[in-house]
Amino acid sequence: MEEYKKSVDAQHAPEALITKTLQRIHEEERGAGVQAEVRQSTKNKAQPKKSRRRYAWIATAAGMAAVLAVVVGVSSSNRGLTYNIVQESQIRAEAEISLMPEREMTAEEYGAYLGRDLTEPLKGVTLSKADISVAYGEDGETILEDEGTFYYNTGSGQVMVKMSKTTEVAPEELLSGEATEWHGLTVYAGENETQDKRLAALQQGDVRYFVMSYGMSEKEFETFLKNFF
């Protein structure tokens, strides 16, 4: 405004024109200021509504996330096993006993060694056969190697459970597949090409297990695993 006044003075305009011009400039400045205040006031009044909408959206999103977390948690804990294909040759090799016993051991004695009942592990499940192989140290008491293969009749099919504290008993091809975190266990599940045999490898405590079913559905097989372990 000062620059404008100097410019007007330099042109030697009449005093009345100068006064009128400066008055108009002041009025325009005041008008601009009032409009700015009105816009700011309007913005401030509208802001709480916008904030409330934003907070409401955040609360809704948080609620949806909580519900989703519950659904995912239930789904993850109840999902079935992931089955990998295992070649029949691998299955047959691991189903055979691999150690020659140096001294006979009963199923009851071997169960005591592993710390569980293997003769009557479940209601409605009966033991039909047990092959146990144990290798001892020079003192004749220390077990260096052990392996037990137990066959059970379940009513819906037959299950073989091979176990050992000292050696791996599951096929390498099965252990190289995808594992499933299932009911607190890490399980490597598999099946043969014709899907009439289902397999599982896992470790519970210091004992390794290899389980194979004959003529059982996925549901029946998984029910056996859940109850046995």
Side-chain angles (χ1 to χ4, degrees):
M1 188 178 67
E2 292 297 326
E3 292 296 325
Y4 183 80
K5 183 178 178 182
K6 289 178 181 179
S7 175
V8 172
D9 289 341
Q11 297 175 21
H12 305 287
E15 185 66 21
L17 179 60
I18 294 173
T19 302
K20 185 177 181 180
T21 301
L22 292 176
Q23 183 179 358
R24 190 175 69 229
I25 292 174
H26 283 300
E27 289 175 354
E28 290 177 356
E29 289 179 344
R30 284 197 300 271
V34 170
Q35 291 178 3
E37 290 177 1
V38 171
R39 286 196 297 269
Q40 183 64 37
S41 176
T42 303
K43 182 179 180 181
N44 292 340
K45 289 180 180 179
Q47 185 63 33
K49 293 182 179 180
K50 182 178 180 182
S51 298
R52 284 196 294 271
R53 287 197 300 269
R54 181 171 179 268
Y55 295 149
W57 182 87
I58 291 174
T60 302
M64 291 175 64
V67 173
L68 182 61
V70 172
V71 172
V72 170
V74 172
S75 176
S76 297
S77 62
N78 292 334
R79 68 190 178 99
L81 295 170
T82 299
Y83 289 84
N84 305 288
I85 297 298
V86 180
Q87 300 299 317
E88 188 69 32
S89 58
Q90 284 267 340
I91 297 174
R92 284 197 300 269
E94 295 300 333
E96 298 172 357
I97 197 78
S98 59
L99 296 172
M100 292 300 293
E102 294 183 4
R103 192 179 74 191
E104 290 186 2
M105 180 179 279
T106 66
E108 290 81 4
E109 290 172 334
Y110 191 64
Y113 165 68
L114 296 183
R116 65 175 305 164
D117 183 5
L118 296 172
T119 57
E120 296 181 2
L122 299 171
K123 183 179 180 180
V125 174
T126 58
L127 176 65
S128 60
K129 180 183 177 183
D131 294 324
I132 303 166
S133 180
V134 180
Y136 294 88
E138 293 181 357
D139 60 2
E141 297 294 333
T142 303
I143 296 177
L144 301 179
E145 293 182 88
D146 73 280
E147 185 177 299
T149 305
F150 289 70
Y151 295 88
Y152 298 98
N153 293 319
T154 68
S156 57
Q158 189 180 51
V159 179
M160 180 205 80
V161 183
K162 186 185 286 287
M163 59 203 80
S164 175
K165 271 190 177 183
T166 59
T167 59
E168 184 56 71
V169 291
E172 183 178 347
E173 187 175 358
L174 178 61
L175 296 174
S176 64
E178 180 182 353
T180 305
E181 295 300 322
W182 188 72
H183 296 285
L185 299 168
T186 301
V187 182
Y188 294 85
E191 57 191 5
N192 63 345
E193 296 92 331
T194 58
Q195 298 182 339
D196 61 341
K197 295 178 183 176
R198 290 185 168 82
L199 325 169
L202 60 119
Q203 183 167 339
Q204 190 175 49
D206 58 352
V207 183
R208 302 177 183 89
Y209 293 90
F210 170 49
V211 185
M212 179 167 61
S213 70
Y214 305 84
M216 295 174 67
S217 67
E218 283 187 16
K219 183 178 180 180
E220 292 167 338
F221 180 59
E222 291 176 14
T223 297
F224 175 85
L225 293 177
K226 183 179 178 181
N227 294 332
F228 191 87
F229 296 104

